[in-house]
Amino acid sequence: MLILLTASLIAGATLLYLCHRHQGWLMQPLSGSWRWLGWFLVAGTLALACWVYPINTAILAWMVGLMLLWGTLPFVPLVRQREEGGARER
């Protein structure tokens, strides 16, 4: 169950990030329908976590997961560029 919750939170947070106009992964942000799917996954993760775990634990883990993901997702393109740049030098 924990793997399902983690995967759906990652997918939902990533979709919400990719729908934002200042995201750095894609040339154009995703359309609004993907945003709804992202919100559905994020909210569904919270609802399912509250059903499986104590409510305090579920809300705290959900909030920490979102903060961690939304804090690190903007830096993924920078890591990709560094890896590609290092491979070209060799």
Side-chain angles (χ1 to χ4, degrees), residues 28-69:
Q28 294 180 3
L30 295 177
S31 65
S33 59
W34 290 102
R35 182 177 293 125
W36 284 107
L37 179 61
W39 280 117
F40 176 76
L41 285 171
V42 168
T45 300
L46 178 60
L48 187 61
C50 286
W51 182 63
V52 174
Y53 299 110
I55 293 176
N56 295 344
T57 304
I59 292 173
L60 180 68
W62 180 76
M63 287 174 40
V64 168
L66 285 177
M67 286 189 299
L68 176 70
L69 286 166

